[in-house]
């Protein structure tokens, strides 16, 4: 009888440690809580693992999110300005409230004509990713290797693609690089899945319930306004004001001119954690493999995963052939550029780093599934393929944001996987796409 009790105690301690770990990370660096607005974490990147003896990389399958950007919709900036201007007119702003209003006005002026556009930091992120990709896997980009780059039709994604291929071309002018951004490829680059919308909508009441439970603007309101009775009568949507300011605070790190401006003092440590916790839950409903949406939402990236498999099959065919000197040919790279709303469900569908976690218990979701570790600005999935002269075996190294990742596939060559096993797993996963039952 003692062993189950000890096991349960160990599990509970593990959850508490994980929860404390996330809180500690946010306490040390609140900008991590920005979730999908977090700047790409390119500092202190680990070295790639040692290449297995006799193998070398020959192909990279990739999907990357655009880099840091301006917020989408001028209302994201204008709404909190209007709320604070109420306090200004009534003489109810604190000193900090007046400072914040001044910051927001200047930021609003800067954003004119830039809605949703790639920022200066966003350009730099993709230049760095391309440079490191080339340095980490030089064999993939040797000689006149092919690099096929595709983007969604959104300009920030096209510019992200262009920044990467410009660097690759400068590093090796012999590369055969093609670029494309077309409606013809949107069925897998950013598929609009009509089945998903009603599944998400069923969860909106539950989502709002947790928002009202976790998001508490009391501390923020005291920082901004000097009269809390006036606030109760005049600020009609304080929770929305908090979420808007939290989003702006998180996205400051997208711009060199604003990255030193810190608005996180408006929120307590609990506020920072709880707003992230709500946003984490929201993204889980939008993209996760949860029974709450019949485990169907991440299958909206089924076309994209099939495209990964098809490109890999062609690459293995090309890269498995010998040249006249007896060397295995390089197949190059297949680079795709799009959005976090694709990267996240793709990771869930692949099961990358346990992103396919299934639960209906949203109260404890934050202990098991953390979206901020998956889809910062410029987030990217890289599947790196290795071949050998000794056999037709192909190994796979999965990377998430340039860090070694795991897949739910048995392997005897960790952190590598046999591609045939991963391919079979992906195809089997695709064959199990759930059949949706109507809402009761």
């Amino acid at each position: 009888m003692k062993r189950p009790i000890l096991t349960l105690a160990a599990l509970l301690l593990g959850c508490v440690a994980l929860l404390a770990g996330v809180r500690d990370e946010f306490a040390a660096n609140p900008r991590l809580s920005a979730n999908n607005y977090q700047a790409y974490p390119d500092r202190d990147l680990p070295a790639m693992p040692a290449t297995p003896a006799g193998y070398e990389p020959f192909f990279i399958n990739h999907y990357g999110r655009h880099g840091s950007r301006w917020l989408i919709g001028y209302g994201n900036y204008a709404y909190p300005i209007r709320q604070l201007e109420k306090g200004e007119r009534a003489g109810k702003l604190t000193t900090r409230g007046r400072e914040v209003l001044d910051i927001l006005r200047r930021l609003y002026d800067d954003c004119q004509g830039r809605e949703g556009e790639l920022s200066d930091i966003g350009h730099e992120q993709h230049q760095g990713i391309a440079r490191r990709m080339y340095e980490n896997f030089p064999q993939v980009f040797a000689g006149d290797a092919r690099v096929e780059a595709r983007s969604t039709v959104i300009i920030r994604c096209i510019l992200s693609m262009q920044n990467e291929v410009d660097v690759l071309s400068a590093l090796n002018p012999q590369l055969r690089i093609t670029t494309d951004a077309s409606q013809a490829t949107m069925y897998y680059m950013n598929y609009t899945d009509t089945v998903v919308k009603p599944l998400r909508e069923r969860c909106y009441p539950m989502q709002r319930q947790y928002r009202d439970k976790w998001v508490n603007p009391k501390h923020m309101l005291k920082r901004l306004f000097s009269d809390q009775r006036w606030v109760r009568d005049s600020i009609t949507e304080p929770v929305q004001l908090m979420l808007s300011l939290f989003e702006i605070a998180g996205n400051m790190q997208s711009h060199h001119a604003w990255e030193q401006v810190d608005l996180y003092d408006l929120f307590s440590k609990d506020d920072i954690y709880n707003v992230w916790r709500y946003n984490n839950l929201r993204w889980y409903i939008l993209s996760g493999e949860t029974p709450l949406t019949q485990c169907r939402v991440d299958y909206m990236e089924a076309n994209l995963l099939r495209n990964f498999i098809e490109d890999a099959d062609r690459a293995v065919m090309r890269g498995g052939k010998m040249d006249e000197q007896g060397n295995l040919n390089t197949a190059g790279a297949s680079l795709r550029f799009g959005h976090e709303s694709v990267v996240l469900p793709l990771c869930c569908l692949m099961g990358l780093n346990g992103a396919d976690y299934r639960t209906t218990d949203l109260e404890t979701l934050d202990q098991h599934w953390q979206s901020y570790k998956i889809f910062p600005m410029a987030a990217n999935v890289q599947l790196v393929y290795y071949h050998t002269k000794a056999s037709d075996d192909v190994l796979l190294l999965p990377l998430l944001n340039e860090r070694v990742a795991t897949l739910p596939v048995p392997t005897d060559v960790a952190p590598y996987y046999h591609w045939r096993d991963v391919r079979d797993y992906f195809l089997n996963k695709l064959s199990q796409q759930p059949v949706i039952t109507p809402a009761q």
Side-chain angles (χ1 to χ4, degrees), residues 384-411:
V384 187
Y385 299 73
Y386 294 71
H387 58 188
T388 176
K389 293 180 183 180
S391 71
D392 59 1
D393 183 39
V394 173
L395 297 183
L396 179 74
L397 180 67
L399 303 175
L400 176 60
N401 301 327
E402 302 179 81
R403 293 163 174 83
V404 173
T406 61
L407 289 165
V409 177
T411 178

Side-chain angles (χ1 to χ4, degrees), residues 291-345:
L292 294 170
T293 52
Q294 301 188 37
C295 299
R296 170 60 175 77
V297 172
D298 57 334
Y299 278 89
M300 64 185 179
E301 304 312 331
N303 293 338
L304 177 57
L305 185 54
R306 289 190 184 95
N307 184 257
F308 265 70
I309 296 168
E310 292 164 1
D311 282 6
D313 287 347
R314 285 191 290 270
V316 169
M317 186 182 307
R318 292 198 308 268
K321 296 179 180 178
M322 299 279 190
D323 62 19
E324 293 179 357
Q325 287 74 41
N327 298 313
L328 285 167
N329 287 327
T330 286
S334 180
L335 309 179
R336 308 165 187 83
F337 297 86
H339 308 268
E340 84 268 45
S341 56
V342 176
V343 171
L344 185 56

Side-chain angles (χ1 to χ4, degrees), residues 350-362:
M350 287 182 169
L352 209 62
N353 281 354
D356 56 344
Y357 174 71
R358 291 186 178 188
T359 189
T360 59
D361 182 5
L362 299 179

